[in-house]
């Protein structure tokens, strides 16, 4: 393709790239946002529980099926609330995203995930049993009766069915056998499932019937959540992509199977992004436009240019090397908290597995000269030490050192031995790790065993 437009030799002897560039860094995380979000979430949970309890009288509880129906109402209310929290977590609200990062967000989402679905399934079972006990009929007869008599319940039942299907598909053993895109499309149905379930809650729920104010408050909270998702997951990315108008200007082979894509855009000097962050990239070309994949920036922007570097491992990443000049590019982000803002110590060690070097390469540009980085680049073969010259140059100007470890994983020794051997002052440094999940687990475990504090370990897993 065309001649090079992007100058990778960004390390100035006197100034860091950030000092030479007008690109603003991503805003730092505000710890109080996390505390506030947690407090609001806990208060809202208490409100939901109080709402459920206060809607029952002791007389109602004493009736046949009273206690079972009450358990059904409570599990339903709390389940719906936790589903809402799940939606907020993945809404990519910038202030939260800066605190959680990609991995924190996924960790919370996965940790919480089973709860709303299990509680809502329990809700359906308990309510049906409770109603059956009250009307002295059987469970199956009551299901037919409920779905038949209440149209909103039929929609909610379809919604619950969808949620359970998504929950099952998210079990790791099943998820690992699915294509990421299939899993993602299936996940989108969660929004439909929640929308289908919404009406029956306010039309039939004992906490809502005869309580118009509670109905309004609940509806406003749900509408605000839907608005937040639309704003941050749809409107903002569309607006940003339109504003920057990125197009592919160069596709460059870096190593066997590894390609850098350089995009050019307008007003890119206004894009607030930090080294170590990533975007979800959507290449608007036949066959690719419908999927957005996360790739880190492999260098800070050099307005009007932005670069990503991709290793071909599947259909999307392989198609990247065949992109044509002029292809439009939509972006969602920047995301990620593995930036210079996470640093606790002056000095750092960066540990990259294979293509994991991309985000650490851009992070290096943001590091001050006194950071004296120790960079450990691990690769299966010499030609997979991607961007090694750029990394070496950046490290040299920060008076750091690069260790290149090449060969099969077993021959390189354990992560613990590597850290002990190569980073004598490990406890005085922040550790940044990037790459495949297995390697990251090994390095984090080793660092923890060697006494590195959790708050000094920052990582980005190149997987889902
Ligand atoms: C935060 C982050 C930053 C990344 N940065 C880079 C980078 O700079 N350069 C690079 O080459 N790769 C990067 N990756 C990995 C890259 O996203 C995947 O290699 C790519 O999406 C694979 O898609 P595929 O269709 O080619 O392969 P597939 O066959 O679809 O997937 C292969 C594997 O890639 C992972 N993967 C696929 N789709 C996604 C997705 N949407 N989100 C997360 N993981 C996925 C899964 O582990 C999957 O098993 C990054 C991943 C993450 C999460």
């Amino acid at each position: 393709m065309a001649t090079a437009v992007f100058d990778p030799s960004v390390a100035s002897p006197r100034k860091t790239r950030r000092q030479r560039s007008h690109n603003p860094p991503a805003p730092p995380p505000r710890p109080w946002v996390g505390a506030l979000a947690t407090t609001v979430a806990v208060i809202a949970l208490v409100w939901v529980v109080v709402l459920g309890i206060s809607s029952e009288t002791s007389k109602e509880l004493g009736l046949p099926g009273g206690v079972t129906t009450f358990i059904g109402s409570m599990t339903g209310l709390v389940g719906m609330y936790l589903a809402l929290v799940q939606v907020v977590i993945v809404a990519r609200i910038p202030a939260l995203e800066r605190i959680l990062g990609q991995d924190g967000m996924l960790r919370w989402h996965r940790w919480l995930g089973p709860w709303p679905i299990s509680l809502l399934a329990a809700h359906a079972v308990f309510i049906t049993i409770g109603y059956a006990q009250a009307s002295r009929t059987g469970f199956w007869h009551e299901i037919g009766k409920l779905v038949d008599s209440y149209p909103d319940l039929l929609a909610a039942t379809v919604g619950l069915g969808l949620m359970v299907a998504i929950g099952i598909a998210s079990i790791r053993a099943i998820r690992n056998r699915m294509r990421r895109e299939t899993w993602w499309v299936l996940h989108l149905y969660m929004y439909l499932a929640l929308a289908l379930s919404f009406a029956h809650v306010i039309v039939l729920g004992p906490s809502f019937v005869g309580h118009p104010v509670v109905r309004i408050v609940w509806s406003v909270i749900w509408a605000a959540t839907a608005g937040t998702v639309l704003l941050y997951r749809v409107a903002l990315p569309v607006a940003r992509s339109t504003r920057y108008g990125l197009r592919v200007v160069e596709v460059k082979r870096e190593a066997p199977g590894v390609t850098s894509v350089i995009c050019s855009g307008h007003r890119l000097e206004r894009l607030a992004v930090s080294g170590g962050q990533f975007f979800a990239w959507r290449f608007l070309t036949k066959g690719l436009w419908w999927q957005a994949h996360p790739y880190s920036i492999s260098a800070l922007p050099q307005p009007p240019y932005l670069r990503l570097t991709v290793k071909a491992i599947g259909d999307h990443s392989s198609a990247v090397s065949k992109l044509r000049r002029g292809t439009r590019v939509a972006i969602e982000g920047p995301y990620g908290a593995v930036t210079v803002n996470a640093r606790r110590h002056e000095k750092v060690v960066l540990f990259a597995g294979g293509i994991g070097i991309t985000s650490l390469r851009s992070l290096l540009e943001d590091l001050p000269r006194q950071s004296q980085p120790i960079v450990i680049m691990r690769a299966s073969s010499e030609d997979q030490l991607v961007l090694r010259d750029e990394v070496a140059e950046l490290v040299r100007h920060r008076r750091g050192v690069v260790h290149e470890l090449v060969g099969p994983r077993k021959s390189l020794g354990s992560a613990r031995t590597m850290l002990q051997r190569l980073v004598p002052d490990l406890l005085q440094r922040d550790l940044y790790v990037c790459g495949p999940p297995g390697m990251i687990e090994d390095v984090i475990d080793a660092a923890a065993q060697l006494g590195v504090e959790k708050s000094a370990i920052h990582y980005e897993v190149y997987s889902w």
Side-chain angles (χ1 to χ4, degrees):
M1 203 174 260
T3 49
V5 288
F6 188 87
D7 172 18
S9 62
V10 290
S12 150
R14 287 195 196 84
K15 290 182 173 180
T16 63
R17 162 91 184 111
R18 185 64 82 190
Q19 285 166 314
R20 288 189 290 128
S21 154
H22 294 296
N23 252 122
R30 310 256 177 243
W32 61 264
V33 173
L36 179 68
T38 313
T39 310
V40 170
V42 171
I43 290 174
L45 177 61
V46 172
W47 175 68
V48 165
V49 171
V50 170
L51 203 64
I53 293 172
S54 61
S55 67
E56 298 291 333
T57 61
S58 49
K59 192 174 156 213
E60 282 164 335
L61 285 174
L63 295 172
V67 173
T68 321
T69 307
F70 171 67
I71 296 172
S73 300
M74 286 304 295
T75 46
L77 261 182
V78 177
M80 281 302 269
Y81 169 70
L82 292 181
L84 188 96
V85 173
Q86 281 283 67
V87 174
V88 172
I89 289 175
V90 295
R92 302 269 196 193
I93 300 168
L96 282 183
E97 155 72 25
R98 270 173 229 135
I99 293 171
L100 291 175
Q102 164 90 349
D103 289 296
M105 183 197 80
L106 286 180
R107 226 180 12 255
W108 272 95
H109 189 64
R110 283 178 188 155
W111 179 75
L112 258 182
W115 289 99
I117 297 175
S118 315
L119 285 169
L120 292 173
H123 155 74
V125 172
F126 278 109
I127 285 284
T128 312
I129 295 174
Y131 278 35
Q133 285 170 342
S135 56
R136 298 184 200 290
T137 54
F139 181 79
W140 299 110
H141 177 264
E142 195 59 35
I143 289 185
K145 206 171 99 187
L146 283 172
V147 169
D148 221 27
S149 329
Y150 304 101
D152 292 323
L153 259 190
L154 180 59
T157 308
V158 174
L160 180 61
L162 281 171
M163 285 185 209
V164 172
I166 295 164
I168 292 171
S170 300
I171 296 169
R172 190 185 284 259
I174 299 174
R175 196 185 68 200
N176 286 347
R177 283 163 205 232
M178 290 173 103
R179 289 191 65 207
R180 170 72 167 68
E181 288 73 34
T182 314
W183 178 86
W184 179 76
V185 171
L186 193 61
H187 243 65
L188 286 185
Y189 281 100
M190 186 55 97
Y191 296 113
L192 174 66
L194 290 172
L196 287 171
S197 310
F198 176 77
H200 94 287
V201 178
I202 54 169
V203 171
L204 302 171
S207 312
F208 300 91
V209 176
H211 300 282
V213 176
V214 178
R215 245 184 208 181
I216 291 170
V217 172
W218 185 261
S219 305
V220 167
I221 292 173
W222 278 76
T225 306
T228 305
V229 172
L230 286 174
L231 175 66
Y232 292 117
R233 300 302 305 262
V234 183
L236 200 64
V238 169
R240 245 185 212 153
S241 300
T242 312
R243 181 178 192 210
Y244 296 119
L246 288 172
R247 282 179 189 266
V248 174
V249 287
E250 189 188 352
V251 176
K252 186 179 161 212
R253 184 179 182 273
E254 298 283 358
V258 182
T259 307
S260 278
V261 178
I262 294 148
C263 304
S264 169
H266 319 294
R267 298 182 282 267
L268 221 58
E269 63 286 350
R270 295 194 201 159
L271 176 66
V273 61
S274 285
Q277 289 198 295
F278 68 95
F279 290 91
W281 301 81
R282 193 182 293 275
F283 299 105
L284 303 179
T285 182
K286 197 175 160 201
L288 294 185
W289 64 269
W290 63 278
Q291 1 177 348
H293 283 246
Y295 299 111
S296 310
I297 49 165
S298 59
L300 286 182
Q302 291 183 17
Y305 303 119
L306 191 59
R307 185 181 76 172
L308 61 150
T309 303
V310 176
K311 182 177 168 83
I313 60 163
D315 54 356
H316 190 272
S317 49
S318 303
V320 161
S321 64
K322 298 181 198 92
L323 284 172
R324 286 172 180 276
R325 198 183 154 95
T327 302
R328 284 173 190 275
V329 185
I331 49 170
E332 198 187 320
Y335 297 136
V338 180
T339 67
V340 74
N341 289 327
R343 208 160 54 116
R344 299 278 171 277
H345 302 280
E346 193 157 70
K347 294 198 256 175
V348 298
V349 51
L350 312 184
F351 201 122
I355 196 65
I357 193 62
T358 51
S359 66
L360 299 184
R361 153 70 181 79
S362 58
L363 172 69
L364 266 171
E365 285 186 74
D366 263 346
L367 288 173
R369 285 166 59 74
Q370 59 275 24
S371 59
Q372 297 172 33
I374 296 179
V375 178
I376 302 172
M377 290 177 76
R378 217 175 76 172
S380 53
S381 58
E382 183 113 6
D383 58 12
Q384 291 299 313
L385 290 168
V386 182
L387 310 175
R388 70 194 294 196
D389 294 340
E390 295 179 28
V391 170
E393 192 186 355
L394 287 162
V395 170
R396 197 169 54 247
H397 287 295
R398 284 159 183 77
R399 284 175 275 129
V401 53
V402 182
H403 297 285
E404 295 177 342
L405 307 177
V406 177
R409 211 161 139 179
K410 279 187 187 147
S411 72
L412 297 175
S414 70
R416 187 186 166 121
T417 322
M418 275 184 228
L419 287 174
Q420 273 177 317
R421 188 164 55 89
L422 304 175
V423 195
D425 56 351
L426 180 65
L427 300 187
Q428 277 89 58
R429 291 176 180 265
D430 274 78
L431 170 64
Y432 287 83
V433 200
C434 232
M439 185 212 80
I440 291 196
E441 261 172 52
D442 288 352
V443 176
I444 292 176
D445 287 351
Q449 284 166 23
L450 293 170
V452 181
E453 279 177 33
K454 226 174 157 186
S455 64
I457 305 177
H458 323 288
Y459 59 93
E460 195 80 85
V461 185
Y462 277 16
S463 182
W464 61 300

